[in-house]
Amino acid sequence: MTSHTSAGTVAWPDDLAAGFRRKGYWEDRPLGSLLLDAADRLPEKTAVVDGDVRLSYAGLANRVDAAAGRLLQLGLKADDRIMVQLPNGWQFTVLTLACFRAGIIPVMALPAHRRYELSFLTELSEARAIAVPDAIKDFDHQALAEELAAAVPTLDVILVSGAANTGNTRLEDILAPGTEVAAARARLDAAAPSADSPALFLLSGGTTGLPKLITRTHNDYAYNIRETSRVTAVTEDTVYLGTLPASHNFPLACPGILGILYAGGRVVMLPSPEPRKAFATIEAEQVTLSTAVPAVAQRWIEHQQETGSGQLASLQVLQVGGSRLPDEIARKVKPVLGATLQQVFGMAEGLINSTRLDDPEEVICTTQGRPVSEADEVRIVDEAGMDLPDGVPGSILTRGPYTPRGYYRAPEANTRAFTPDGWYASGDIVERRPDGNLIVQGRDKDMINRGGEKISAEEIESLVYRIEDVTMAAAVSMPDPTLGERLCLYITVKPGSEVTLQIIQQLLRETGVAAFKIPERLVVVDELPVTKVGKINKKDLRADIARRLAGAGVNAG
Ligand code: OOB
C-alpha cells in the first residue's frame, strides 16, 4: 500500500486558494487537457522533434492518451508515483504528458542520479513504477532499476526505453499510438485529475542532508507556465531547443517544453548542449528560443567566436539562469550570438524572475530580472527578518500562487525553509533595485552551485563521515572559470592516517552518488576554522581555497 499524496502535501490556505481562482491565476484545468487545446487547434503542426522522430500535435495527443490508458492498464492509478529518469527525447515528453492525463505523478529525477539518490527518492515518494533508458554510455540504468525494485517494496513496474529485459515493459510499447483515439480521450476526460492535486514532483536543489520533493499542482504549474510564456513572448511560431535535462523546472516549464507545447509551437529535444550539434540543430529547425545555464552560454559564445558560423540567424532569445551569469558574459550574448538575452533567476520551489525582452540593455546585462507574476510577493530581509530598503542586499522571501507552502513529507525541513505564514526562504542573498529588478549577490545556504547543478554540502559531508579516519569535513564551493563553482572538500583526519581524494571519490562512487556531486579537490588541514558560535567557518574556507587557486593558477588542481 502506498499513502495518498494529500497526506504529505502542504496546501495553500483555503482563502488564498479562493482568491487565486477569483483572480484567474488558477484556471482549474489539468495539465493534460492544456495539450489537447493545442492539438485540437493545430493537429497537423509539428509538436516534437527528436532526431528522426517528428510528432504532429494530433500524433502527440494520440500517443499521450494511448499511453495514459496503458499505464492504467498496467495497474497504476491516479495519485500513484512514477520515477522518471529519462534523457531528453520524445519519450520523456510523451510519458510526462501521459502521466498528467492519468493523474499519475512523475518524480522528476535527473539522468545523472545513481543508486543513492534514486533509492532515497523512490522510498520517499513510494513510487510504484520507474522509467529508465536501458543504458547510457556504459551505465546500465535497467540493472539499477531492477536493483531498486528488489529493495523498495512499492516499486513493481519497470519501464525501459530501448531493450527491455524479460519481466520489464518496453517504454516505447507503452508510448505507441492508439487505435481508438476518441474513446481513449473521453475515458481520460471523464476521470481527469483535480487541478488542485499534485501534477508532478520536482527535486529541490537542497541544502539539507537529503534531497527534497516539491509538489507542484496542476493549477500552480499551469500558472507558472502561462506567466513565463507571456514574458518570453511564446507563440505558435516559437521553435524551442531544449538541451538542459528536461526534468529541471527551467527547461520543462519556464516556459520550456510545456509552455511551447501549450502554445502550439515546436519543441526540439537534444540530450546535450554541445555547441556543434546544438548550432546545427538551431539552423536545421530554425530555432527561435533556447535555454542555457551560464556555463553553456559561455561555451556557445566561444564556439561562435571560433567558428563565426551563420547558424544562429533564427535564434531570437536565449534564456540564461540556474546560477549567476557574470555581467561580462551577459554583455556578449547579443553581439556574439545575435539573440536577446533573458536572464532567469528561478527555483523549482516556485518563484521565477526574469528580465523582459524589451528591457534596456543595462537591465538585461546586470540584473536577474523581476517576478513574472503580479501576484508574486517578494521581501528582502535582514537576519532578524526585518524588511530592508531597496539597494541593500538581504535574504529573499517569497510567496505566491505557484510557490508551494512546504516540501513533500518533510515537516522538519519545512520549519527551516518556510515561515509560519508561508514565506519560502530560498537562501539567496538578493538586492532589489528601485526599478524592481533583482540582483543575486550571493547566498546564505550551504550549497554548491556547480554550473546550475545544486549540491548540498551537508549531504556530501555526511557521506564523507563514513570514512573512519575523517574527523571533520566541510564541503565548500571553489571558484571555477567555466562552471562558476566546483566542490572542494576540507577535512581533518586522525593522527597518522592518510585520506586521499581518490579514497573519497571511490567511496562516493561506490555509494552510488551522482557524478556531479563528487568532490573535485581535497584539502587536508590540521584544524578547521570555527566561528564565534563554534560552527565551521565556511566563509574562511572559501576564501582560503580561492587564495590557493589564485596562487597556483586556476588550472592547478
Ligand atoms: C533553478 O532552479 P533550482 O531549483 O535548480 O535552483 C534554485 C536556485 C536559486 O535559489 C538560486 O540559488 C540559484 O538556483 N539560481 C540562481 C539563478 N537562477 C537560479 N542564482 C543566480 N542567478 C540566477 N539567474 O535553478 C531555476 C529554475 C527555474 C528557472 C531558472 C532556474
Side-chain angles (χ1 to χ4, degrees):
M1 266 304 278
T2 57
S3 42
H4 197 277
T5 51
S6 55
T9 304
V10 186
W12 278 268
D14 287 343
D15 53 332
L16 283 179
F20 295 156
R21 283 201 167 75
R22 204 171 47 241
K23 294 186 180 125
Y25 305 145
W26 289 1
E27 291 188 323
D28 284 324
R29 307 268 329 269
L31 292 174
S33 64
L34 299 177
L35 172 73
L36 296 173
D37 293 352
D40 289 343
R41 211 156 49 80
L42 303 159
E44 305 300 326
K45 198 163 177 279
T46 302
V48 175
V49 179
D50 168 15
D52 295 336
V53 176
R54 302 182 82 84
L55 303 179
S56 69
Y57 270 92
L60 173 64
N62 173 5
R63 281 179 188 260
V64 164
D65 278 3
R70 293 191 193 102
L71 291 172
L72 296 169
Q73 270 163 22
L74 279 175
L76 298 175
K77 322 181 284 314
D79 197 61
D80 279 346
R81 277 73 74 191
I82 175 171
M83 298 288 299
V84 175
Q85 192 198 27
L86 293 171
N88 285 12
W90 68 269
Q91 295 92 333
F92 173 92
T93 303
V94 176
L95 178 63
T96 298
L97 289 160
C99 289
F100 293 163
R101 279 292 271 161
I104 296 165
I105 307 170
V107 181
M108 293 295 178
L110 295 174
H113 285 152
R114 292 295 176 261
R115 187 178 58 238
Y116 176 72
E117 291 89 10
L118 292 181
S119 60
F120 174 77
L121 295 169
T122 307
E123 280 175 19
L124 177 60
S125 65
E126 300 172 291
R128 291 200 48 212
I130 183 166
V132 290
D134 48 7
I136 295 184
K137 296 201 182 111
D138 55 357
F139 190 78
D140 190 340
H141 286 270
Q142 180 161 215
L144 176 53
E146 288 168 355
E147 209 182 296
L148 291 173
V152 183
T154 57
L155 187 64
D156 53 27
V157 175
I158 301 178
L159 306 175
V160 180
S161 171
N165 297 337
T166 315
N168 299 338
T169 305
R170 196 167 161 261
L171 181 63
E172 283 76 6
D173 292 342
I174 297 293
L175 307 181
T179 46
E180 29 139 38
V181 181
R185 178 168 175 170
R187 261 197 310 275
L188 291 163
D189 281 346
S194 152
D196 280 332
S197 65
L200 73 165
F201 282 126
L202 293 174
L203 305 193
S204 158
T207 53
T208 56
L210 289 162
K212 293 181 295 291
L213 293 174
I214 304 159
T215 315
R216 301 298 299 262
T217 66
H218 291 264
N219 264 330
D220 94 65
Y221 218 45
Y223 184 59
N224 183 120
I225 293 164
R226 210 159 66 238
E227 288 296 76
T228 51
S229 297
R230 185 177 56 76
V231 300
T232 310
V234 175
T235 69
E236 61 181 70
D237 296 326
T238 303
V239 182
Y240 179 72
L241 176 65
T243 73
L244 301 180
S247 42
H248 276 303
N249 191 29
F250 191 13
L252 181 61
C254 302
I257 295 167
L258 295 171
I260 276 62
L261 291 178
Y262 293 161
R266 178 163 20 121
V267 170
V268 183
M269 299 182 83
L270 272 185
S272 142
E274 187 282 312
R276 264 178 320 167
K277 191 77 203 285
F279 282 25
T281 306
I282 290 172
E283 182 174 37
E285 293 293 336
Q286 291 292 292
V287 166
T288 63
L289 171 68
S290 194
T291 302
V293 291
V296 168
Q298 200 178 345
R299 248 167 95 199
W300 284 17
I301 288 169
E302 282 162 13
H303 184 76
Q304 178 65 12
Q305 283 171 330
E306 282 159 20
T307 60
S309 87
Q311 293 170 300
L312 304 183
S314 61
L315 191 68
Q316 292 165 10
V317 177
L318 182 66
Q319 300 181 286
V320 182
S323 64
R324 175 63 198 268
L325 178 66
D327 296 356
E328 319 79 82
I329 300 174
R331 287 200 187 91
K332 290 187 187 155
V333 170
K334 180 92 200 188
V336 177
L337 301 178
T340 299
L341 169 66
Q342 181 176 53
Q343 294 212 42
V344 185
F345 161 43
M347 46 203 78
E349 283 85 351
L351 179 69
I352 306 293
N353 305 280
S354 74
T355 56
R356 305 304 198 257
L357 303 181
D358 59 355
D359 274 344
E361 245 359 75
E362 181 268 331
V363 170
I364 287 178
C365 295
T366 65
T367 83
Q368 282 64 59
R370 50 197 180 277
V372 294
S373 161
E374 61 178 16
D376 285 318
E377 296 179 83
V378 169
R379 289 170 61 198
I380 312 291
V381 299
D382 66 13
E383 276 163 24
M386 301 300 282
D387 288 280
L388 289 165
D390 290 345
V392 182
S395 301
I396 185 168
L397 300 180
T398 186
R399 288 193 307 202
Y402 63 97
T403 300
R405 296 279 163 144
Y407 292 109
Y408 183 63
R409 289 177 63 186
E412 214 174 287
N414 287 346
T415 57
R416 273 175 283 152
F418 293 84
T419 68
D421 43 1
W423 295 87
Y424 169 62
S426 77
D428 295 297
I429 303 293
V430 172
E431 172 193 334
R432 179 163 41 200
R433 308 197 324 179
D435 64 4
N437 288 299
L438 306 177
I439 301 175
V440 182
Q441 301 283 18
R443 58 175 182 263
D444 62 0
K445 56 184 163 186
D446 206 0
M447 176 260 264
I448 294 100
N449 190 334
R450 187 181 185 279
E453 295 293 3
K454 316 304 184 311
I455 309 165
S456 150
E458 196 185 315
E459 180 174 14
I460 301 307
E461 289 155 7
S462 67
L463 289 166
V464 170
Y465 280 119
R466 292 184 186 178
I467 301 171
E468 239 176 70
D469 286 334
V470 170
T471 43
M472 295 279 264
V476 295
S477 62
M478 58 179 171
D480 181 78
T482 322
L483 292 171
E485 298 174 8
R486 288 179 194 264
L487 201 165
C488 172
L489 187 72
Y490 279 79
I491 56 170
T492 59
V493 297
K494 286 189 183 151
S497 64
E498 195 195 2
V499 178
T500 62
L501 182 61
Q502 285 68 31
I503 292 176
I504 291 169
Q505 291 178 333
Q506 178 72 14
L507 166 90
L508 293 185
R509 257 184 240 116
E510 281 166 11
T511 313
V513 173
F516 70 83
K517 296 184 188 169
I518 293 179
E520 292 173 278
R521 188 176 169 125
L522 178 73
V523 183
V524 185
V525 289
D526 293 336
E527 214 177 341
L528 288 175
V530 289
T531 62
K532 279 191 215 105
V533 294
K535 286 207 317 196
I536 295 175
N537 190 334
K538 292 205 166 175
K539 206 171 150 200
D540 278 7
L541 291 177
R542 283 191 292 269
D544 181 68
I545 187 63
R547 230 175 4 248
R548 285 171 193 249
L549 289 170
V554 277
N555 291 324

